[in-house]
Amino acid sequence: MDEQQKLQEFQDRIDAGEKIEPKDWMPERFRKQLVRMMSQHAHSEIIGMLPEGNWITRAPSLRRKLALLAKVQDEAGHGLYLYSGAETLGVSRDEMIDDLLSGKAKYSNIFNYPTQTWADIGVIGWLVDGAAIVNQTMLAKSSFGPYARANLRICKEESFHRKQGHEIIATMMKGTPAQRKMVQDAVNRWWWPTLMMFGPPDDNSPNSNELIRWKVKTKTNDELRQSFIDRTVEEAHDMGIEIPDPDLRYNEETKHWEIGEINFDELYRVVTGNGPMNKKRMAARRKAHEEGRWVREAAEAYAEKQKLKEKKAS
Ligand code: 3HC
């Protein structure tokens, strides 16, 4: 079969709803796009542990501490599923991690903002994990098998994360005026960066058309953003929270909430290393990597020793 026929067969399989598995033929561009997305996604999960990890020692009760610890640990697990999935495409975990630590690889904009109060932890669960679920529920149907399966598992855990965030916020909104103010302040700071998580608008998203043709994504950035807005605005109003957008209005005809303009310059600034916390996040990640070096070396030495033992025995 020539290249053109292989490409056609590949597209036919995708159009028929089949999953592409690591050993199947795939165009090099498909492989590259998946490595890009899956590694960025994995890095986001790992860097995403930092803003919340910051509050484990300051959680207001043992119950809250346990839930937060479990959540942060889950994020590490998500990173590992995704790195493993990306490795099936022929890229090594070391290469991906080197790209993150050298600043070459991107990770989600959202983790470059500071967590200033306990309400931020609730708002991250409710808004950030809520946005991640909207996106990842779609990715759980992605045409690349390992990515779809990783997201299926991730979504189950993210939905618990979202609930714990929502519960923190709902509890605080039933509390004192100071607690309600703290929630509103957190929503004011996290609302717009959360909307930016869905990526640039469709007419400025260089990767979307290709990813949709290959059913890696089945919805566009703006479609996903809109479904998050519709669901979240109602929840905010139910809890007595205001959305910090003077242009927000419900369109009776389309049955959608319409928002004001998103400052996408901020998104580009943050994802190119110039957000409020980029330097601190990367410094913390590099320090953790260095401090874990002896564990990796010990594990490798142990694996090597086991291999020698097995060789001797056989
Ligand atoms: N943060 C950082 N970079 C972003 C971004 C964001 N929110 N949105 C877009 N970008 C980058 C893209 O990576 C791309 O850069 P590149 O070509 O250099 O890689 C560029 O901006 C143009 O964007 P496109 O719309 O063309 O890119 P995509 O079609 O890939 O869409 C995406 C962007 C929606 C982020 C998509 O890649 C995606 O769905 N990725 C997988 C999910 C993911 O990574 N989620 C991160 C959050 S994980 C999380 O939230 C953890 C949870 O525990 C809370």
Side-chain angles (χ1 to χ4, degrees):
M1 254 198 286
D2 68 21
E3 197 69 8
Q4 207 48 42
Q5 285 168 318
K6 280 198 225 165
L7 254 176
Q8 188 56 54
E9 197 172 89
F10 176 79
Q11 189 65 51
D12 290 345
R13 287 189 62 197
I14 287 184
D15 293 344
E18 279 182 46
K19 293 264 180 267
I20 305 300
E21 296 297 338
K23 290 198 171 137
D24 296 346
W25 185 87
M26 62 183 81
E28 181 55 17
R29 177 80 192 153
F30 180 86
R31 194 187 72 81
K32 279 212 167 112
Q33 279 285 25
L34 261 304
V35 169
R36 177 187 70 86
M37 266 181 87
M38 293 175 79
S39 60
Q40 281 180 11
H41 192 166
H43 301 328
S44 304
E45 300 281 355
I46 298 297
I47 297 281
M49 295 164 73
L50 295 169
E52 291 180 286
N54 186 31
W55 277 86
I56 290 172
T57 52
R58 290 178 282 165
S61 70
L62 179 62
R63 178 172 167 259
R64 294 291 186 212
K65 190 193 288 259
L66 284 172
L68 184 58
L69 258 175
K71 176 183 193 290
V72 172
Q73 195 171 314
D74 284 351
E75 309 296 1
H78 299 173
L80 298 185
Y81 313 152
L82 291 161
Y83 284 130
S84 299
E87 280 181 310
T88 68
L89 289 161
V91 59
S92 77
R93 191 171 306 198
D94 286 346
E95 278 172 75
M96 290 184 270
I97 290 175
D98 283 350
D99 283 350
L100 171 67
L101 297 179
S102 70
K104 189 173 152 205
K106 287 197 175 80
Y107 59 87
S108 181
N109 69 304
I110 198 71
F111 303 117
N112 293 305
Y113 293 87
T115 39
Q116 295 176 359
T117 69
W118 174 250
D120 288 31
I121 299 306
V123 167
I124 288 180
W126 173 48
L127 291 184
V128 173
D129 290 80
I133 291 174
V134 170
N135 177 258
Q136 289 159 3
T137 304
M138 166 194 77
L139 294 172
K141 296 185 197 115
S142 149
S143 56
F144 184 55
Y147 197 29
R149 291 188 287 274
N151 275 296
L152 203 59
R153 228 173 130 175
I154 290 172
C155 281
K156 291 192 178 150
E157 292 174 354
E158 296 287 15
S159 94
F160 158 75
H161 298 171
R162 188 181 168 280
K163 279 183 199 147
Q164 68 89 41
H166 186 271
E167 201 231 342
I168 291 175
I169 295 306
T171 306
M172 290 181 82
M173 287 307 288
K174 286 188 214 129
T176 63
Q179 285 174 311
R180 285 198 288 278
K181 193 163 169 268
M182 208 187 272
V183 171
Q184 186 61 58
D185 169 64
V187 173
N188 293 351
R189 285 180 286 108
W190 289 92
W191 173 252
W192 292 103
T194 302
L195 297 187
M196 292 172 202
M197 282 176 73
F198 293 95
D202 293 351
D203 55 7
N204 210 6
S205 161
N207 297 295
S208 279
N209 285 344
E210 192 171 55
L211 293 175
I212 286 176
R213 175 157 46 87
W214 282 329
K215 294 194 182 166
V216 175
K217 297 194 335 190
T218 49
K219 290 194 174 124
T220 69
N221 297 357
D222 285 333
E223 282 169 343
L224 291 175
R225 188 167 14 244
Q226 188 62 53
S227 74
F228 171 77
I229 292 168
D230 288 339
R231 143 185 183 171
T232 312
V233 169
E234 307 279 345
E235 285 180 352
H237 290 166
D238 286 347
M239 288 189 282
I241 295 169
E242 256 181 60
I243 298 292
D245 178 355
D247 297 324
L248 183 75
R249 69 172 197 106
Y250 188 69
N251 184 326
E252 286 290 348
E253 264 171 45
T254 61
K255 308 276 177 232
H256 289 301
W257 285 93
E258 290 174 356
I259 59 163
E261 210 175 310
I262 299 177
N263 177 2
F264 283 108
D265 288 345
E266 178 177 325
L267 173 68
Y268 297 123
R269 211 169 44 243
V270 172
V271 304
T272 50
N274 299 305
M277 295 296 282
N278 297 59
K279 291 191 177 60
K280 278 203 175 153
R281 297 285 181 246
M282 288 312 299
R285 191 59 235 143
R286 285 190 194 107
K287 182 166 174 277
H289 191 71
E290 273 317 303
E291 286 174 357
R293 183 177 296 280
W294 71 270
V295 179
R296 293 190 299 278
E297 285 172 359
E300 271 167 27
Y302 180 76
E304 206 51 48
K305 201 171 148 197
Q306 288 301 102
K307 245 194 249 161
L308 279 177
K309 244 191 200 171
E310 277 163 28
K311 210 170 163 193
K312 258 191 200 163
S314 64

